[in-house]
Amino acid sequence: MKRESGASLPVWVEGVTMPETGPLLENIECDVCIVGAGLAGMSTAYMLAKEGKNVVVLEAKKIGGGETSRTTAHLSNALDDRYSNLVKLFGEEGALLAAQSHGRAIDKIEEIVKEENIDCDFTRIDGYLFANDRQEEEELLKELEAVQQIGWRDVILRKDSPVKTLTGLPCLHFPNQAHFHVLKYLSAISSAFLNMGGRIFTETKVTRYESGTVATVISEDNFAVSANQLVVATNTPTNDFATMHTKQAPYRTYVVGAMVAKDAVPDALYWDMAEPYHYVRLLKGKALDEGAASDLLIVGGGDHKTGQAENYESSFRDLERWMRLKFPEAGEVIYRWSGQVYEPVDLLGYIGRNPGDTDNVYIITGDSGHGMTHSTIGGMLITDLIMGRENPWATLYDPGRSPMKAAGEYIKENLNVAAQFKDFVTPGEVKDPQEVLPGTGRIMRKGLSKVAVYCDQDGVRHTCSAVCTHMGCIVSWNDVESSWDCPCHGSRFDPFGRVITGPATKDLEPEQED
């Protein structure tokens, strides 16, 4: 697989081949059209095909070319937003439903792995949430109280961590978690979907949505898919201009991978309680040299608002420094990548009917760092809604729910967005395109407008408008992924201004002439 959503290359893309697909070249009809061929879209497509539905999937890149490939592929119902917070926002019943839904998602993945005989390294393991200081230890005990309060008795307090260098303080032990190789799994369920008669059209960017009794999506090449039901599973919904984007915020998250001796680190999931927090897993049996016995230690963290970092490389440096402190046996860093997650203001994702739209339009968004289980919950819940079945999670994940339970966070995130418009009146980073070095991008002021200037490795400068085509914020250069990132709602564009990820659907405009 090639780099499609950034310059860095995650470990998952190595040696994985997706089913052969091609672009949409005609107008077609179906029962259900799904936009997005990541794990959320393909899980939903697979489950609906099992119900006998005629399903079409459209994808702007290749299968798995978006954020699915940029995960660390934890499968966990130890939610990082903490059950102590979820109880306050959704009550004991809501918090328990959240735990059950993510746990059921792990079970569903395991069921599909067995039914389809998928070789994707799916393994049941334990998870450990650990404290680094006495204040965090107090928070840890509050979390234990919360999970006991909702009736989750399997979670227990351990006085020691399985990895002695992690902490000398207690940790919470979450049993029955899991991890897997996400792209091996995605490739397999995509093939199974095709074998059931499903259709996938890749390199087909949807640029227009038309709601109604029959929903229609139109591609950049002006071909249309008409469907009785429409599901938008594009990380953040590209069919929504404003509503959902005020309820969640985009964050970049970073990952480093280093080799460790085989079995030197116990195979488990590990999470600390820092802000932003760190998350750790192993990829067992990963060998750099043929015959070498080793595992890959995968460490993530360093989150920050998309488009709002002063120094992107420092996120990797800080992550490696933390890894070497906690896992001194780690070798040289051989993988580095970043991804994008959306954090809902009230901590739980949005799965269901799109607010303000016709009843046959659905969205899956707001994974809050639990993309693998959230995507699978999306597949199960959307399938039930389309099939007319009751689902106990429908109200909990309803995209139309009010964000006012978390009014403070809602106001804070939207004030942050409003503050980004100051960039219209600030000076540029450079005054002349020739100041931009090869392989980098910078913002230049040109009269009343701002211009995004990229210099390729041959020294040729390329310019376009720096104004995001979604809601008009000024983009900034991400030197880790070689992309222009919007600090407001997370749209991303390649060095030449072409859309990588939404909510924007249009490329950056050409530079305005004087």
Side-chain angles (χ1 to χ4, degrees), residues 16-324:
V16 176
T17 303
M18 292 295 168
E20 285 294 324
T21 54
L24 180 68
L25 298 175
E26 60 180 339
N27 298 331
I28 59 175
E29 298 177 351
C30 60
D31 294 333
V32 185
C33 177
I34 298 173
V35 181
L39 188 60
M42 290 313 308
S43 295
T44 308
Y46 172 87
M47 294 177 201
L48 285 168
K50 295 284 280 186
E51 300 278 358
K53 291 293 186 181
N54 175 10
V55 183
V56 168
V57 179
L58 304 180
E59 169 56 52
K61 307 176 184 71
K62 297 291 188 182
I63 299 170
E67 295 307 312
T68 293
S69 65
R70 297 185 162 271
T71 180
T72 53
H74 288 223
L75 297 173
S76 173
N77 60 346
L79 301 184
D80 56 30
D81 288 311
R82 305 285 175 261
Y83 286 97
S84 54
N85 294 322
L86 292 175
V87 168
K88 294 175 186 176
L89 291 169
F90 297 95
E92 292 179 18
E93 183 180 354
L96 179 59
L97 284 172
Q100 291 172 337
S101 61
H102 283 270
R104 180 69 187 96
I106 302 172
D107 295 341
K108 186 66 175 179
I109 292 170
E110 186 172 29
E111 289 170 13
I112 293 171
V113 166
K114 291 177 180 177
E115 182 177 350
E116 300 292 345
N117 194 27
I118 301 173
D119 180 12
C120 64
D121 308 320
F122 178 92
T123 307
R124 287 282 186 174
I125 51 175
D126 294 324
Y128 297 92
L129 176 66
F130 63 93
N132 281 306
D133 56 39
R134 294 301 178 186
Q135 183 176 347
E136 289 181 359
E137 184 181 7
E138 290 181 14
E139 293 300 315
L140 194 75
L141 294 175
K142 288 181 183 177
E143 188 67 359
L144 176 62
E145 181 180 351
V147 296
Q148 291 177 339
Q149 184 180 349
I150 67 175
W152 191 1
R153 305 300 181 192
D154 294 339
V155 180
I156 59 176
L157 186 69
R158 300 277 188 193
K159 67 176 183 178
D160 296 314
S161 163
V163 179
K164 301 306 179 186
T165 51
L166 279 181
T167 183
L169 296 172
C171 62
L172 284 188
H173 173 196
F174 291 82
N176 217 24
Q177 311 297 291
H179 57 45
F180 69 161
H181 191 300
V182 59
L183 291 191
K184 289 180 180 179
Y185 176 80
L186 182 63
S187 176
I189 65 169
S190 299
S191 295
F193 169 71
L194 292 169
N195 290 337
M196 287 187 280
R199 290 173 285 176
I200 304 172
F201 297 97
T202 48
E203 298 179 325
T204 300
K205 185 169 79 172
V206 173
T207 55
R208 199 160 87 243
Y209 296 87
E210 295 179 358
S211 300
T213 305
V214 174
T216 302
V217 297
I218 297 96
S219 74
E220 190 174 44
D221 295 326
N222 212 32
F223 295 110
V225 178
S226 299
N228 296 323
Q229 313 280 346
L230 171 65
V231 182
V232 181
T234 52
N235 198 24
T236 192
T238 54
N239 61 327
D240 180 83
F241 180 72
T243 302
M244 296 309 302
H245 308 301
T246 67
K247 295 183 177 185
Q248 59 184 8
Y251 282 78
R252 299 302 296 174
T253 188
Y254 296 81
V255 185
V256 295
M259 304 308 291
V260 293
K262 182 175 175 58
D263 299 327
V265 176
D267 192 13
L269 304 179
Y270 304 96
W271 317 282
D272 74 0
M273 303 182 71
E275 185 59 46
Y277 81 108
H278 300 90
Y279 47 98
V280 183
R281 64 159 289 185
L282 293 168
L283 179 56
K284 298 291 289 180
K286 177 68 179 176
L288 278 183
D289 302 312
E290 192 170 340
S294 55
D295 299 325
L296 182 70
L297 181 70
I298 299 173
V299 179
D303 300 14
H304 63 75
K305 287 292 292 289
T306 299
Q308 297 186 32
E310 293 185 6
N311 187 325
Y312 288 85
E313 281 290 336
S314 67
S315 295
F316 283 129
R317 289 195 297 270
D318 293 345
L319 206 53
E320 182 175 356
R321 189 180 303 114
W322 184 90
M323 177 188 72
R324 299 207 178 284

Side-chain angles (χ1 to χ4, degrees), residues 362-406:
Y362 307 83
I363 58 173
I364 304 172
T365 189
D367 59 28
S368 191
H370 286 263
M372 305 296 95
T373 46
H374 182 265
S375 294
T376 308
I377 294 168
M380 292 188 285
L381 177 49
I382 297 296
T383 297
D384 281 348
L385 292 175
I386 288 176
M387 299 305 298
R389 293 191 293 256
E390 293 290 325
N391 186 296
W393 314 325
T395 300
L396 185 70
Y397 292 110
D398 181 8
R401 69 182 187 266
S402 170
M404 288 301 107
K405 285 182 179 179

